[in-house]
Amino acid sequence: MNFNDIVGQRVIVESLRNAVINGMISNGYIFSGPKGCGKKFMAVIFSMALNCRGEAHDRPCGSCSSCIRTSNSNHPNLKLIKPTGQSIKIKQVREIISDTARKPFESGYKIIIIDGAEKMTIEAQDAFLKTLEEPPENTVFLLLAENHNLLLPTIVSRCQVFRIKPVDRMEMKSFIQARYDYPPMDVEAAVRHSKGIIGRALELLKDKENFKIRALYIDILDNVLSGNERDAILLAPETVEDKETAERFLDFSMSWFRDIMVMRECPKAFKDIIINIDSLDILSRHNLILTEDKLNSIMEIIKKTYIYVKHNVGIKNSIDGMLFNIAEVNSYNGKNSWS
Ligand SMILES: [Zn+2]
């Protein structure tokens, strides 16, 4: 494991690598980005580099005893803090502070990774700030946050902030294909669904169940658009159990109808843009069924359902209602029934 295993973050990697080579190490770093973007992975590689015993330009070597223990999270100079329950409490921060006051167990840096740093309570952040203002020697704090704007500005200003960017689709694809042996079409679908987040793509690929669920989603939408909405509603409970699974289904539905929109608007280039490329035949069929007005109405219905689900308003009923409404829009033939 070394810096080359970090995909699509060239600027950050260069900056970290240079810091290691030149020995210009700050006391605080923030790695910020959504779940699955590789914040922790990056922090571990950087931690390995900081205490690696290999040649400076080659750190982390990945094979010295320090690198191996760091990557296995059992290096005595490495501490990992994460929320207990909903937050990181002042007690945990105090423990870090008294811990960092002691000398490192081994020569080198003492590294504290705070995972979910934005979940520190205000008291915890205040206490942490004091340590950051007068940091013990050879101590490096690596703060991982999904949203670093939730941290006190005074903490942020004392850290070097790295915002992890969405990974380019082609780059992610070749990265996965060089390291894993998944079928190319699965990789293509996972990468397109990942929104540039490597962890999301790998999660989709690792769990075959995800592909089964996607097939079920497609089945539901196909039934709705074929006039079998009752069958669709029978399938829905298998996929929608709570807020999280409902939102996943809504995300998928939105991506599906957006793809149809893209097929219409970019007839020449849509294959590069759409997300559900592995289901092109069904998408094309739905494209023939739906008019533009119907597509717009369907997307409005999905947007409204997002709001109900977000506020926990009868989640299962909201999804059933959405499917009925989509079916109704689809079956409308443009004439009033009494005319
Ligand atoms: Zn090493």
Side-chain angles (χ1 to χ4, degrees), residues 259-279:
D259 278 355
I260 299 177
M261 200 71 110
V262 171
M263 289 172 90
R264 269 155 204 251
E265 285 173 10
C266 315
K268 285 187 183 147
F270 73 87
K271 284 187 184 167
D272 291 334
I273 308 171
I274 59 169
I275 289 177
N276 301 287
I277 187 75
D278 56 335
S279 309

Side-chain angles (χ1 to χ4, degrees), residues 48-49 51-54 58-68:
M48 284 164 71
N51 283 330
C52 176
R53 288 163 187 174
D58 193 31
R59 289 179 198 159
C61 71
S63 53
C64 70
S65 81
S66 176
C67 278
I68 290 170

